[in-house]
Amino acid sequence: MKELSTENRGYYKVEDVMDLLGVSRPKAYKMMADMQKECKANGTLFSGYPAGRIPKKIFNKLCMLD
């Protein structure tokens, strides 16, 4: 099965967050978990969304990358 490139995915993985923000792996996971928790609490993200991924649109908005 072919994996999608970063440009073709609608989400970021932990490696992408590490590269974008220049943080360590544990810090990237913590940031993503906090973002997911916040988004699930306000209804932006459904509760079954996989850990270790964050939608690009949400991440870019929260990190003011748009």
Side-chain angles (χ1 to χ4, degrees):
M1 199 168 184
K2 183 179 175 186
E3 186 167 336
L4 296 173
S5 68
T6 302
E7 297 82 29
N8 295 333
R9 287 184 270 140
Y11 58 88
Y12 290 125
K13 290 184 174 182
V14 71
E15 292 84 7
D16 302 320
V17 174
M18 290 168 55
D19 290 340
L20 287 167
L21 301 179
V23 296
S24 66
R25 182 177 296 273
K27 180 68 175 176
Y29 272 121
K30 173 77 170 117
M31 291 175 72
M32 292 171 72
D34 290 345
M35 286 180 197
Q36 279 195 359
K37 184 177 179 182
E38 179 184 333
C39 290
K40 288 175 184 176
N42 69 23
T44 308
L45 198 61
F46 66 95
S47 62
Y49 201 83
R53 290 174 171 66
I54 190 79
K56 284 182 177 181
K57 186 174 183 178
I58 291 172
F59 179 85
N60 292 342
K61 181 178 178 186
L62 293 174
C63 291
M64 293 182 256
L65 297 176
D66 277 343

